[in-house]
Amino acid sequence: MSDTDDLRSNPRFLRRAVQHVREFEQAFSALLELCNFTAQLRAMAGSDLPDEVLAGYASLPAVTPRANVSDEEWVAAKARCSRTGGRVSHLPDITGVQISRGGFSDPANPFEMWITVTQPHSIVTPDDILAATEHTIGVIESMADRVDVAGEISVEDMHPLVWGAARGQWRIELYREAVSSAVGAVIDHVRQLTGRADLDDKDVFTQAFSQSSPKQGAPRLRWPGNEQDQTVASMNRGLLGFSTGIQAAIRNPVIHDRTQLPAQEAAERLAALSLLATWVENCILDRGDAST
């Protein structure tokens, strides 16, 4: 998985990216407020001008500073655009939003090419930059909506076992398959911990968290601490009930029902699996009389 793919699914990064794009948009809009637009000047001059005059307009920058704008003000406005544009210059690689230019085979990065509107023979227009900026914001917000389905807690914050198994399908929006892979990973992990390769998936949790004493070839996973302690006893009962509930209400439906899950419902199931994986990580393996 590339760094770019990781950023596309990182809700914190995406929220910051939207903010940074808006800061660029504000800086660029502030620059334009200082400008005359060459296209407007040409339209005001009329279309009956000699060819050499029309050619002169074509060679001008798309925008030029108004006469009452000082050099210091102009330089400062461009510096703000350069600074804010630099923060987001990598985003076209993530969003795919670029500007197509007539006569050029390669599209333009709007956050790098904005400066050309202030240069002779401008190859993009201010409207191109603003439209690409808004499009970028829309694409990033859409990405954030898909991955940030659990508020401040994202799917990437799930237990590594769960997210590692679900990540590939989640990123292509196969949410049912992501949950199926995650529950399978937890079952396989518990099977490996207890050495019960002989068990079907449906029996792994009931055997691992069984309240009966462990025996040869059938160890149990137990919450650490004195078994007579009320909290420890409660956790051991809860682990059995919670894990078998996951088996019945999460694993079985995604295996037998091919209906696709909405992202929110899938995230809730991953959260339950993440909690179980965390509890399993805290458990000890009880072999009975044998050493753990």
Side-chain angles (χ1 to χ4, degrees):
M1 190 63 61
S2 69
D3 291 342
T4 296
D5 289 331
D6 287 337
L7 292 176
R8 288 192 184 104
S9 59
N10 186 323
R12 295 178 180 84
F13 166 80
L14 294 173
R15 287 194 293 272
R16 289 195 301 269
V18 168
Q19 178 183 349
H20 288 159
V21 175
R22 292 197 184 281
E23 289 171 356
F24 168 78
E25 184 178 40
Q26 292 166 1
F28 187 67
S29 297
L31 176 79
L32 296 181
E33 290 177 1
L34 306 177
C35 296
N36 292 315
F37 289 75
T38 301
Q40 293 178 346
L41 295 175
R42 177 176 173 176
M44 291 171 59
S47 58
D48 298 331
L49 295 173
D51 290 343
E52 60 272 18
V53 176
L54 292 176
Y57 274 109
S59 67
L60 290 174
V63 297
T64 54
R66 296 196 305 266
N68 62 345
V69 174
S70 68
D71 290 343
E72 292 79 6
E73 191 175 8
W74 182 242
V75 169
K78 290 201 294 182
R80 285 191 294 272
C81 289
S82 293
R83 183 171 59 254
T84 55
R87 291 192 191 122
V88 296
S89 60
H90 61 294
L91 290 181
D93 292 336
I94 295 170
T95 64
V97 178
Q98 296 186 333
I99 300 173
S100 298
R101 301 169 292 165
F104 294 85
S105 58
D106 295 328
N109 181 326
F111 307 116
E112 293 177 347
M113 298 301 294
W114 70 267
I115 188 64
T116 66
V117 305
T118 69
Q119 298 170 342
H121 303 284
S122 301
I123 57 177
V124 296
T125 70
D127 284 346
D128 291 333
I129 302 297
L130 292 172
T133 299
E134 284 296 320
H135 191 187
T136 298
I137 291 171
V139 170
I140 296 174
E141 288 178 339
S142 177
M143 290 178 178
D145 286 343
R146 291 197 295 271
V147 300
D148 193 16
V149 295
E152 291 301 313
I153 301 176
S154 80
V155 289
E156 287 193 341
D157 295 320
M158 303 297 176
H159 191 281
L161 175 67
V162 170
W163 176 237
R167 178 173 53 198
Q169 289 107 337
W170 186 275
R171 286 176 171 168
I172 56 175
E173 301 181 21
L174 296 176
Y175 300 122
R176 183 191 64 79
E177 291 83 352
V179 173
S180 178
S181 294
V183 73
V186 175
I187 290 172
D188 286 344
H189 182 57
V190 171
R191 180 188 282 116
Q192 183 178 21
L193 287 174
T194 55
R196 299 302 305 272
D198 58 307
L199 295 177
D200 291 335
D201 284 1
K202 62 184 178 61
D203 298 320
V204 171
F205 290 149
T206 56
Q207 286 296 313
F209 300 110
S210 171
Q211 296 298 283
S212 62
S213 299
K215 56 186 178 180
Q216 184 68 31
R220 312 298 185 197
L221 289 175
R222 297 287 190 243
W223 195 252
N226 187 331
E227 291 186 0
Q228 303 306 313
D229 180 85
Q230 184 175 353
T231 298
V232 173
S234 180
M235 282 299 302
N236 283 323
R237 292 193 302 272
L239 283 164
L240 176 61
F242 190 74
S243 63
T244 54
I246 280 179
Q247 175 75 27
I250 295 181
R251 185 263 183 192
N252 292 348
V254 297
I255 293 296
H256 302 303
D257 185 351
R258 312 304 291 180
T259 304
Q260 192 53 257
L261 284 173
Q264 178 67 35
E265 293 182 18
E268 291 166 353
R269 286 159 174 77
L270 291 184
L273 290 165
S274 179
L275 180 57
L276 178 59
T278 298
W279 283 340
V280 167
E281 190 174 289
N282 290 325
C283 284
I284 60 173
L285 186 64
D286 183 3
R287 299 182 185 275
D289 293 337
S291 172
T292 59

PDB file of all heavy atoms in Angstrom, residues 235-254:
ATOM      1  N   MET A 235     -15.414 -10.580  33.524  1.00  0.00           N
ATOM      2  CA  MET A 235     -14.765 -10.483  32.211  1.00  0.00           C
ATOM      3  C   MET A 235     -14.731 -11.841  31.514  1.00  0.00           C
ATOM      4  O   MET A 235     -14.960 -11.929  30.304  1.00  0.00           O
ATOM      5  CB  MET A 235     -13.355  -9.933  32.355  1.00  0.00           C
ATOM      6  CG  MET A 235     -13.277  -8.435  32.552  1.00  0.00           C
ATOM      7  SD  MET A 235     -13.977  -7.471  31.169  1.00  0.00           S
ATOM      8  CE  MET A 235     -12.993  -8.050  29.782  1.00  0.00           C
ATOM      9  N   ASN A 236     -14.458 -12.899  32.254  1.00  0.00           N
ATOM     10  CA  ASN A 236     -14.416 -14.218  31.629  1.00  0.00           C
ATOM     11  C   ASN A 236     -15.789 -14.629  31.110  1.00  0.00           C
ATOM     12  O   ASN A 236     -15.903 -15.197  30.014  1.00  0.00           O
ATOM     13  CB  ASN A 236     -13.887 -15.257  32.621  1.00  0.00           C
ATOM     14  CG  ASN A 236     -12.382 -15.172  32.770  1.00  0.00           C
ATOM     15  OD1 ASN A 236     -11.662 -14.922  31.809  1.00  0.00           O
ATOM     16  ND2 ASN A 236     -11.893 -15.368  33.996  1.00  0.00           N
ATOM     17  N   ARG A 237     -16.843 -14.345  31.877  1.00  0.00           N
ATOM     18  CA  ARG A 237     -18.197 -14.624  31.372  1.00  0.00           C
ATOM     19  C   ARG A 237     -18.502 -13.742  30.164  1.00  0.00           C
ATOM     20  O   ARG A 237     -19.091 -14.190  29.176  1.00  0.00           O
ATOM     21  CB  ARG A 237     -19.240 -14.391  32.474  1.00  0.00           C
ATOM     22  CG  ARG A 237     -19.195 -15.387  33.627  1.00  0.00           C
ATOM     23  CD  ARG A 237     -20.453 -15.272  34.476  1.00  0.00           C
ATOM     24  NE  ARG A 237     -20.636 -13.921  35.005  1.00  0.00           N
ATOM     25  CZ  ARG A 237     -20.130 -13.469  36.149  1.00  0.00           C
ATOM     26  NH1 ARG A 237     -19.373 -14.280  36.903  1.00  0.00           N
ATOM     27  NH2 ARG A 237     -20.351 -12.242  36.571  1.00  0.00           N
ATOM     28  N   GLY A 238     -18.089 -12.472  30.275  1.00  0.00           N
ATOM     29  CA  GLY A 238     -18.365 -11.547  29.191  1.00  0.00           C
ATOM     30  C   GLY A 238     -17.646 -11.892  27.904  1.00  0.00           C
ATOM     31  O   GLY A 238     -18.196 -11.732  26.802  1.00  0.00           O
ATOM     32  N   LEU A 239     -16.407 -12.367  28.018  1.00  0.00           N
ATOM     33  CA  LEU A 239     -15.660 -12.751  26.824  1.00  0.00           C
ATOM     34  C   LEU A 239     -16.361 -13.876  26.076  1.00  0.00           C
ATOM     35  O   LEU A 239     -16.427 -13.867  24.836  1.00  0.00           O
ATOM     36  CB  LEU A 239     -14.239 -13.179  27.212  1.00  0.00           C
ATOM     37  CG  LEU A 239     -13.273 -12.037  27.521  1.00  0.00           C
ATOM     38  CD1 LEU A 239     -12.047 -12.565  28.249  1.00  0.00           C
ATOM     39  CD2 LEU A 239     -12.870 -11.319  26.243  1.00  0.00           C
ATOM     40  N   LEU A 240     -16.889 -14.842  26.808  1.00  0.00           N
ATOM     41  CA  LEU A 240     -17.618 -15.927  26.159  1.00  0.00           C
ATOM     42  C   LEU A 240     -18.874 -15.390  25.467  1.00  0.00           C
ATOM     43  O   LEU A 240     -19.121 -15.672  24.282  1.00  0.00           O
ATOM     44  CB  LEU A 240     -17.999 -16.998  27.181  1.00  0.00           C
ATOM     45  CG  LEU A 240     -18.851 -18.155  26.637  1.00  0.00           C
ATOM     46  CD1 LEU A 240     -18.106 -18.913  25.541  1.00  0.00           C
ATOM     47  CD2 LEU A 240     -19.263 -19.098  27.772  1.00  0.00           C
ATOM     48  N   GLY A 241     -19.663 -14.603  26.191  1.00  0.00           N
ATOM     49  CA  GLY A 241     -20.893 -14.077  25.605  1.00  0.00           C
ATOM     50  C   GLY A 241     -20.638 -13.131  24.445  1.00  0.00           C
ATOM     51  O   GLY A 241     -21.313 -13.193  23.408  1.00  0.00           O
ATOM     52  N   PHE A 242     -19.630 -12.244  24.615  1.00  0.00           N
ATOM     53  CA  PHE A 242     -19.339 -11.256  23.574  1.00  0.00           C
ATOM     54  C   PHE A 242     -18.821 -11.934  22.309  1.00  0.00           C
ATOM     55  O   PHE A 242     -19.250 -11.615  21.193  1.00  0.00           O
ATOM     56  CB  PHE A 242     -18.320 -10.259  24.101  1.00  0.00           C
ATOM     57  CG  PHE A 242     -18.113  -9.053  23.223  1.00  0.00           C
ATOM     58  CD1 PHE A 242     -19.065  -8.049  23.146  1.00  0.00           C
ATOM     59  CD2 PHE A 242     -16.960  -8.916  22.462  1.00  0.00           C
ATOM     60  CE1 PHE A 242     -18.885  -6.932  22.353  1.00  0.00           C
ATOM     61  CE2 PHE A 242     -16.759  -7.798  21.656  1.00  0.00           C
ATOM     62  CZ  PHE A 242     -17.726  -6.808  21.606  1.00  0.00           C
ATOM     63  N   SER A 243     -17.899 -12.863  22.465  1.00  0.00           N
ATOM     64  CA  SER A 243     -17.304 -13.509  21.294  1.00  0.00           C
ATOM     65  C   SER A 243     -18.319 -14.369  20.547  1.00  0.00           C
ATOM     66  O   SER A 243     -18.349 -14.371  19.311  1.00  0.00           O
ATOM     67  CB  SER A 243     -16.098 -14.353  21.705  1.00  0.00           C
ATOM     68  OG  SER A 243     -16.475 -15.408  22.559  1.00  0.00           O
ATOM     69  N   THR A 244     -19.156 -15.106  21.294  1.00  0.00           N
ATOM     70  CA  THR A 244     -20.158 -15.924  20.613  1.00  0.00           C
ATOM     71  C   THR A 244     -21.249 -15.051  20.000  1.00  0.00           C
ATOM     72  O   THR A 244     -21.839 -15.419  18.977  1.00  0.00           O
ATOM     73  CB  THR A 244     -20.768 -16.948  21.579  1.00  0.00           C
ATOM     74  OG1 THR A 244     -21.265 -16.281  22.750  1.00  0.00           O
ATOM     75  CG2 THR A 244     -19.725 -17.978  22.001  1.00  0.00           C
ATOM     76  N   GLY A 245     -21.494 -13.888  20.601  1.00  0.00           N
ATOM     77  CA  GLY A 245     -22.415 -12.940  19.982  1.00  0.00           C
ATOM     78  C   GLY A 245     -21.862 -12.421  18.659  1.00  0.00           C
ATOM     79  O   GLY A 245     -22.603 -12.257  17.675  1.00  0.00           O
ATOM     80  N   ILE A 246     -20.572 -12.134  18.623  1.00  0.00           N
ATOM     81  CA  ILE A 246     -19.929 -11.709  17.377  1.00  0.00           C
ATOM     82  C   ILE A 246     -20.034 -12.812  16.330  1.00  0.00           C
ATOM     83  O   ILE A 246     -20.300 -12.552  15.148  1.00  0.00           O
ATOM     84  CB  ILE A 246     -18.458 -11.329  17.646  1.00  0.00           C
ATOM     85  CG1 ILE A 246     -18.407  -9.918  18.244  1.00  0.00           C
ATOM     86  CG2 ILE A 246     -17.616 -11.425  16.378  1.00  0.00           C
ATOM     87  CD1 ILE A 246     -17.016  -9.437  18.576  1.00  0.00           C
ATOM     88  N   GLN A 247     -19.822 -14.058  16.779  1.00  0.00           N
ATOM     89  CA  GLN A 247     -19.945 -15.195  15.868  1.00  0.00           C
ATOM     90  C   GLN A 247     -21.341 -15.232  15.248  1.00  0.00           C
ATOM     91  O   GLN A 247     -21.495 -15.370  14.029  1.00  0.00           O
ATOM     92  CB  GLN A 247     -19.676 -16.492  16.634  1.00  0.00           C
ATOM     93  CG  GLN A 247     -19.891 -17.769  15.840  1.00  0.00           C
ATOM     94  CD  GLN A 247     -18.779 -18.033  14.843  1.00  0.00           C
ATOM     95  OE1 GLN A 247     -17.659 -17.589  15.051  1.00  0.00           O
ATOM     96  NE2 GLN A 247     -19.082 -18.731  13.770  1.00  0.00           N
ATOM     97  N   ALA A 248     -22.360 -15.086  16.089  1.00  0.00           N
ATOM     98  CA  ALA A 248     -23.738 -15.220  15.606  1.00  0.00           C
ATOM     99  C   ALA A 248     -24.229 -13.998  14.847  1.00  0.00           C
ATOM    100  O   ALA A 248     -24.917 -14.127  13.824  1.00  0.00           O
ATOM    101  CB  ALA A 248     -24.667 -15.504  16.791  1.00  0.00           C
ATOM    102  N   ALA A 249     -23.878 -12.809  15.333  1.00  0.00           N
ATOM    103  CA  ALA A 249     -24.490 -11.588  14.787  1.00  0.00           C
ATOM    104  C   ALA A 249     -23.614 -10.856  13.776  1.00  0.00           C
ATOM    105  O   ALA A 249     -24.117  -9.988  13.050  1.00  0.00           O
ATOM    106  CB  ALA A 249     -24.844 -10.637  15.937  1.00  0.00           C
ATOM    107  N   ILE A 250     -22.335 -11.165  13.725  1.00  0.00           N
ATOM    108  CA  ILE A 250     -21.456 -10.489  12.762  1.00  0.00           C
ATOM    109  C   ILE A 250     -20.887 -11.478  11.752  1.00  0.00           C
ATOM    110  O   ILE A 250     -21.053 -11.317  10.543  1.00  0.00           O
ATOM    111  CB  ILE A 250     -20.312  -9.740  13.482  1.00  0.00           C
ATOM    112  CG1 ILE A 250     -20.886  -8.612  14.342  1.00  0.00           C
ATOM    113  CG2 ILE A 250     -19.304  -9.192  12.468  1.00  0.00           C
ATOM    114  CD1 ILE A 250     -19.836  -7.802  15.079  1.00  0.00           C
ATOM    115  N   ARG A 251     -20.228 -12.527  12.252  1.00  0.00           N
ATOM    116  CA  ARG A 251     -19.594 -13.474  11.339  1.00  0.00           C
ATOM    117  C   ARG A 251     -20.605 -14.180  10.454  1.00  0.00           C
ATOM    118  O   ARG A 251     -20.478 -14.214   9.222  1.00  0.00           O
ATOM    119  CB  ARG A 251     -18.770 -14.473  12.144  1.00  0.00           C
ATOM    120  CG  ARG A 251     -17.966 -15.448  11.276  1.00  0.00           C
ATOM    121  CD  ARG A 251     -18.673 -16.757  11.089  1.00  0.00           C
ATOM    122  NE  ARG A 251     -17.897 -17.707  10.322  1.00  0.00           N
ATOM    123  CZ  ARG A 251     -18.377 -18.838   9.828  1.00  0.00           C
ATOM    124  NH1 ARG A 251     -19.652 -19.162  10.018  1.00  0.00           N
ATOM    125  NH2 ARG A 251     -17.597 -19.657   9.134  1.00  0.00           N
ATOM    126  N   ASN A 252     -21.631 -14.788  11.043  1.00  0.00           N
ATOM    127  CA  ASN A 252     -22.574 -15.582  10.258  1.00  0.00           C
ATOM    128  C   ASN A 252     -23.321 -14.763   9.206  1.00  0.00           C
ATOM    129  O   ASN A 252     -23.433 -15.196   8.050  1.00  0.00           O
ATOM    130  CB  ASN A 252     -23.559 -16.298  11.178  1.00  0.00           C
ATOM    131  CG  ASN A 252     -22.878 -17.385  12.003  1.00  0.00           C
ATOM    132  OD1 ASN A 252     -21.732 -17.741  11.738  1.00  0.00           O
ATOM    133  ND2 ASN A 252     -23.570 -17.902  13.001  1.00  0.00           N
ATOM    134  N   PRO A 253     -23.860 -13.582   9.549  1.00  0.00           N
ATOM    135  CA  PRO A 253     -24.563 -12.805   8.516  1.00  0.00           C
ATOM    136  C   PRO A 253     -23.678 -12.401   7.331  1.00  0.00           C
ATOM    137  O   PRO A 253     -24.124 -12.469   6.179  1.00  0.00           O
ATOM    138  CB  PRO A 253     -25.063 -11.578   9.278  1.00  0.00           C
ATOM    139  CG  PRO A 253     -25.220 -12.055  10.683  1.00  0.00           C
ATOM    140  CD  PRO A 253     -24.082 -13.008  10.893  1.00  0.00           C
ATOM    141  N   VAL A 254     -22.437 -11.970   7.592  1.00  0.00           N
ATOM    142  CA  VAL A 254     -21.609 -11.539   6.454  1.00  0.00           C
ATOM    143  C   VAL A 254     -21.143 -12.717   5.609  1.00  0.00           C
ATOM    144  O   VAL A 254     -20.801 -12.553   4.439  1.00  0.00           O
ATOM    145  CB  VAL A 254     -20.397 -10.691   6.907  1.00  0.00           C
ATOM    146  CG1 VAL A 254     -20.848  -9.412   7.578  1.00  0.00           C
ATOM    147  CG2 VAL A 254     -19.442 -11.486   7.801  1.00  0.00           C
TER     148      VAL A 254
END
